[in-house]
Each structure stands twice: as structure tokens, then as C-alpha cells.
Amino acid sequence: DVKVTQSSRYLVKRTGEKVFLECVQDMDHENMFWYRQDPGLGLRLIYFSYDVKMKEKGDIPEGYSVSREKKERFSLILESASTNQTSMYLCASTPGASGVESQFFGPGTRLTVL
Amino acid sequence: AQKITQTQPGMFVQEKEAVTLDCTYDTSDPSYGLFWYKQPSSGEMIFLIYQGSYDQQNATEGRYSLNFQKARKSANLVISASQLGDSAMYFCAMWREYNFNKFYFGSGTKLNVKP
């Protein structure tokens, strides 16, 4: 069964901490995505990656960075967490650039920054 | 700018009745796709149905159907014979072929099915 996993379901951090959210997919997918989900705003794209070491900014990249050293792993980094980054974070992947495929989502990480 | 609009923040439906969730989109691309996802309270996003911009017929998947009106740029989800387990958030999303498979999501509709 194909899977996207995220390192934590719930995370509580303090303002100013460096936070790492990890996402791993076992489907050999080319593309990986990080979204944040807030009530009334839907899912907003933070960053995506279409290949190892390649990344593109999404709609709301400020305050975030990403890393993709291996094809199966895509990490979201909050360099200095702030309270307005309290949110649900969803990772997703798609097979590649040709054709259309639904995104496969991880279970999400609910991050609270105090 | 590409955009997805879901105008119904919340809806109620009686069990066993049909319900339509609205979605309108805005794009000038010739090739695109429209998806619907379900998100139960547990948080995972579940793919429901897909419609391609060149598809002639409306997509159907079991109790789900997509009412695709290209000229109106609408892609409404119809759930027939609602069940209690259909209570969830529903998101409409658009995919554009020429943009690294980026997806654009609407703000979602919270559906509550009443017994």
C-alpha cells in the first residue's frame, strides 16, 4: 500500500525554536509538496520540489525553508518559529511531470507554537 | 491568477438525501484538471473524484459525481444518498498541466449529515 508519512501528528514548540517537519514517501514520486491548512483558507502551498535538491517557492514561503537530499524525503524547516505559524501542515506527493495524478497526502502535523 | 472558490463554508443534509457542493474555478489554461478531496476529522485527505478539462462526460465514482460545466467554469460535487460517514470537510482543487503539477485548493465546505 502506497504511503506518505509525516514524523509527528502533534508538535508543540516555543517561539524562536528551530522546527523540523519530516515527510517520507515510498512511491518513488518525483514531486513533493508542503502545505499549511488554516480554517477558512484551505490549503496554501509553502514549497514544492520536483527533484532531489530542487525546490520552488509556493504561495507563502516566508518564514520557511525546505530540504530534499533524497528522493523519498522532503523536510520543512521553520528557522525561528513564531505563533502565527501555528497550523496544520500537510505533505503530499505526485508521481511526475507527465500526465495527471491525484496528490497523495500524509496524515498531517498539527503544530502549536507557544 | 488561478483561483478556486467554494462559496459554502458549511452545509447540512439529511441522511439518504443528495447534496451538491459548489466549486468554481478561474484559469485561462487549455489543459487542467479538477479534483475533489474529503478530509474527515482525523485529518487525512482522501481523493474522491477527478475531471479533466478535455473530458466530454462528467466523472462518476460510486456515490460521487462531478457536475462539470466548462463554460461556467464550475465543477460541483454531487453526493447521492448521503451517509453519516460523509460528514467531513470537502475541498475542490485545480491542477494545471504546465506548472510542475501545482495544485490550487479552495477554502473548503464543511458537510454535516443529520440522522
Side-chain angles (χ1 to χ4, degrees):
Chain A
D1 199 14
V2 296
K3 235 178 183 176
V4 179
T5 57
Q6 294 182 229
S7 49
S8 306
R9 290 301 302 270
Y10 299 93
L11 207 53
V12 179
K13 295 292 182 181
R14 298 222 173 260
T15 301
E17 280 193 77
K18 190 168 186 176
V19 182
F20 293 87
L21 303 183
E22 303 284 340
C23 175
V24 177
Q25 50 94 4
D26 65 0
M27 298 168 281
D28 200 36
H29 282 177
E30 302 287 335
N31 305 322
M32 296 186 75
F33 306 80
W34 273 108
Y35 295 92
R36 67 175 280 175
Q37 181 183 359
D38 300 288
L41 298 177
L43 277 70
R44 293 180 292 167
L45 182 64
I46 305 172
Y47 268 97
F48 67 101
S49 168
Y50 50 92
D51 201 352
V52 175
K53 297 190 187 294
M54 305 301 287
K55 61 187 178 185
E56 290 282 339
K57 292 180 181 179
D59 300 316
I60 51 165
E62 296 79 19
Y64 303 94
S65 61
V66 290
S67 171
R68 193 165 180 203
E69 297 296 320
K70 294 185 177 181
K71 191 175 185 180
E72 67 270 18
R73 187 180 298 269
F74 191 35
S75 302
L76 179 69
I77 303 153
L78 287 65
E79 295 290 341
S80 177
S82 63
T83 54
N84 62 12
Q85 293 178 308
T86 291
S87 187
M88 168 73 101
Y89 291 88
L90 290 165
C91 175
S93 69
T94 57
S98 61
V100 59
E101 291 276 351
S102 170
Q103 293 199 320
F104 291 84
F105 282 87
T109 296
R110 190 167 293 281
L111 173 67
T112 301
V113 182
L114 301 175
Chain B
Q2 324 304 318
K3 196 174 177 183
I4 293 282
T5 303
Q6 294 180 252
T7 57
Q8 306 152 312
M11 289 189 71
F12 285 91
V13 65
Q14 201 69 39
E15 192 178 9
K16 299 180 184 176
E17 291 185 352
V19 63
T20 297
L21 307 184
D22 294 341
C23 173
T24 58
Y25 61 93
D26 183 18
T27 183
S28 55
D29 288 5
S31 180
Y32 55 90
L34 296 151
F35 294 82
W36 277 92
Y37 292 88
K38 173 184 179 181
Q39 187 182 43
S41 56
S42 53
E44 77 272 25
M45 295 283 278
I46 302 167
F47 165 69
L48 294 178
I49 197 166
Y50 166 77
Q51 179 86 42
S53 58
Y54 293 118
D55 293 343
Q56 296 297 314
Q57 292 188 317
N58 287 342
T60 60
E61 290 284 349
R63 294 186 299 111
Y64 304 108
S65 60
L66 201 152
N67 184 2
F68 182 48
Q69 298 187 44
K70 195 170 182 178
R72 294 186 177 183
K73 294 189 175 181
S74 75
N76 298 339
L77 177 71
V78 180
I79 305 174
S80 63
S82 298
Q83 302 172 355
L84 295 178
D86 294 335
S87 293
M89 281 290 288
Y90 289 82
F91 291 97
C92 180
M94 178 173 65
W95 164 89
R96 296 165 63 213
E97 182 177 0
Y98 301 111
N99 197 6
F100 293 105
N101 286 326
K102 278 182 72 174
F103 281 62
Y104 301 86
F105 284 83
S107 56
T109 295
K110 181 77 165 49
L111 178 66
N112 285 289
V113 181
K114 297 186 292 183

